[in-house]
Amino acid sequence: MATGKLTYQDVVTINLGVLITAAKDWDDMAGGFDDLGRLYGAKVESFASDGRWVGVSANAAASRFAVTRKQFTDAQTEARAMASLLRAAYERFSQLIGRVKDLVEQAKKDDMTVNSKGEAVYDFTKLAPFRHEPDYPTYVSQVKEAEADWTKKIKDAVQAVDDEDQIVESALREAAGVKSWYERALDPLGQGHNFNGAAAGDIGTYEQEAKREEAEQKAEAERKKKEKESSDSTLKTILRGIGKGAQIFSQQPGGLGTKLVGTVIEGAADATGYNNTQGITIGGSLGFGVGISGSISLVETHTPDGRNQLNLMYSGGSTTAGWDFGAAANVGVVKSNADDISQLKGAGWDKSGSLHAGLGIWGAHQNAIGTTNSKGDPVGTASYGIGAGLGNEASTGFSNADGWTLWESGKGK
């Protein structure tokens, strides 16, 4: 019966008698295998064990004969299991289909007609004599509710037959040892197929196994869902940390002057689009006339189509002109008008300055060479913060940056 989702028409027109006929055929087949097995044991298998044939070849033949003899036994077991399953299926389907037909008869007694789709339909012309009565709308509403109620009951009963159909199909396939499409692809000639000597004739056995596998699959899906939620939560925490870090460096509490500087910086960033990308950065520099520097940054980028990108960036650079003496390790804020990670990669022209005497401050600006954002504006990146070291710098030079997106959310359509 299992050829796809069953319809109402399938259920009420199916001929279950073929299941009993098929069961008898399987029983006959089991008897045939039994007869063949006995004959094989008496006429062939005994030839290697009656003492007249001895030696290595006799032992090898006896082993092969025993395997074949077992196949006859397994074939008999499988055939009897199939017969038992088909008879059990007949009983189950008879009850479930009988339930559908009983509901149809009950609906007819309630003045309903059940169409070929299993829908209960009332002949509203029967309400015509009451058309002018005040309660006529109530009568119509009650009849429509009755139609919906009978239709649902019949639909649920048909669904129960379809559910059983899937269970029976699975049981028959398991008992027959039908392989998955993947296993069949690996064994196109069927060389690995044997009769199922462990076949069971009880549908409930296979039904319980299917429920167990379904429960395991649901548990695995739930585990993966929780892992994803945990990962998303961690990434959101990182994003909040980036924002908090930016606030710490740009809007530190303090006197009016400190707050004014933070306000001016944030206002300028909003006005120029430098809040498209913002995050935190750590780096270091070393200079003796000519200097080198490097940094790694964690930044969040807001794209024009509504995505949020969490990016890990790194860069290295060297000075080509200016003053650069000393060494320092720095931490701070990075802001850019880039609105996609790809715009942050590649070569850039740097301008930077720092003053360190134990503790100190630093700031830098980079123009991405040959790169514009979605608005057509040249991409620039500003960074600033505090550091520890000795020396000072006022220089220009070139750098190269690269990185990758760790996470992306809210992707626009």
Side-chain angles (χ1 to χ4, degrees):
M1 291 178 65
T3 57
K5 188 171 181 60
L6 296 177
T7 66
Y8 167 79
Q9 199 66 18
D10 293 331
V11 170
V12 296
T13 59
I14 191 69
N15 176 19
L16 292 179
V18 297
L19 295 177
I20 298 300
T21 302
K24 183 180 182 304
D25 290 341
W26 278 102
D27 272 336
D28 291 343
M29 187 184 300
F33 280 128
D34 186 26
D35 292 340
L36 286 173
R38 292 176 186 274
L39 182 63
Y40 184 84
K43 299 297 184 180
V44 178
E45 188 178 14
S46 63
F47 185 69
S49 59
D50 61 4
R52 288 179 293 176
W53 185 10
V54 296
V56 175
S57 61
N59 292 335
S63 177
R64 294 294 299 272
F65 293 163
V67 170
T68 302
R69 180 70 175 86
K70 185 177 183 303
Q71 287 182 334
F72 281 117
T73 302
D74 290 347
Q76 181 186 166
T77 299
E78 181 180 317
R80 296 202 185 282
M82 294 293 286
S84 178
L85 291 173
L86 290 170
R87 288 192 176 91
Y90 175 85
E91 296 297 330
R92 290 191 176 204
F93 284 131
S94 294
Q95 293 179 9
L96 293 170
I97 293 175
R99 169 62 176 163
V100 175
K101 293 180 178 179
D102 286 345
L103 286 172
V104 172
E105 292 303 315
Q106 293 173 32
K108 289 179 179 178
K109 292 178 182 179
D110 201 17
D111 291 332
M112 298 287 172
T113 299
V114 179
N115 63 24
S116 61
K117 296 180 180 179
E119 300 168 338
V121 181
Y122 184 78
D123 183 3
F124 281 91
T125 60
K126 295 180 180 181
L127 294 181
F130 309 102
R131 184 171 299 167
H132 301 293
E133 292 188 9
D135 291 334
Y136 178 75
T138 302
Y139 299 152
V140 173
S141 177
Q142 290 174 344
V143 169
K144 288 184 177 180
E145 289 179 3
E147 282 183 330
D149 184 52
W150 282 116
T151 298
K152 184 179 185 305
K153 288 179 179 179
I154 294 171
K155 179 181 178 181
D156 291 344
V158 170
Q159 182 61 52
V161 179
D162 187 69
D163 292 342
E164 184 65 26
D165 192 40
Q166 305 308 313
I167 292 170
V168 170
E169 178 192 24
S170 178
L172 292 171
R173 292 175 67 88
E174 289 292 330
V178 177
K179 298 180 179 180
S180 68
W181 69 268
Y182 177 73
E183 292 172 319
R184 293 196 300 271
L186 294 179
D187 185 22
L189 299 179
Q191 297 297 312
H193 180 77
N194 290 306
F195 292 106
N196 185 7
D202 179 16
I203 292 179
T205 300
Y206 298 107
E207 187 175 7
Q208 291 176 2
E209 179 64 18
K211 288 181 178 179
R212 184 188 65 78
E213 292 179 357
E214 182 181 2
E216 290 178 351
Q217 291 172 358
K218 287 183 178 180
E220 179 65 13
E222 184 64 23
R223 183 187 66 78
K224 290 182 178 180
K225 178 182 177 183
K226 288 182 179 180
E227 285 184 354
K228 184 178 185 301
E229 289 175 349
S230 176
S231 176
D232 289 347
S233 176
T234 301
L235 290 167
K236 289 177 181 177
T237 300
I238 293 174
L239 292 177
R240 287 195 295 270
I242 291 174
K244 187 66 176 178
Q247 289 179 355
I248 289 174
F249 284 102
S250 62
Q251 298 180 354
Q252 293 184 32
L256 179 61
T258 302
K259 293 180 179 180
L260 179 61
V261 170
T263 301
V264 170
I265 290 174
E266 286 302 305
D270 285 335
T272 59
Y274 270 62
N275 275 342
N276 288 342
T277 294
Q278 54 183 327
I280 54 178
T281 183
I282 57 174
S285 62
L286 178 65
F288 295 95
V290 175
I292 57 173
S293 63
S295 67
I296 184 169
S297 307
L298 190 63
V299 297
E300 181 185 13
T301 298
H302 303 286
T303 66
D305 59 356
R307 291 173 292 155
N308 292 326
Q309 298 173 329
L310 178 61
N311 309 308
L312 183 66
M313 307 296 301
Y314 59 92
S315 68
S318 60
T319 61
T320 57
W323 176 274
D324 194 336
F325 285 92
N330 304 308
V331 59
V333 170
V334 58
K335 293 177 176 286
S336 174
N337 65 343
D339 48 25
D340 189 87
I341 182 178
S342 61
Q343 300 163 10
L344 297 171
K345 300 178 181 180
W349 175 40
D350 297 350
K351 291 81 66 183
S352 60
S354 66
L355 179 62
H356 294 88
L359 290 177
I361 58 174
W362 65 276
H365 185 273
Q366 178 200 74
N367 292 103
I369 297 175
T371 303
T372 59
N373 61 18
S374 63
K375 295 182 179 179
D377 299 329
V379 172
T381 301
S383 53
Y384 56 92
I386 58 175
L390 292 172
N392 55 75
E393 172 195 21
S395 62
T396 183
F398 294 95
S399 64
N400 193 68
D402 203 353
W404 60 90
T405 298
L406 301 174
W407 177 70
E408 188 171 60
S409 70
K411 188 170 184 179
K413 295 181 179 179

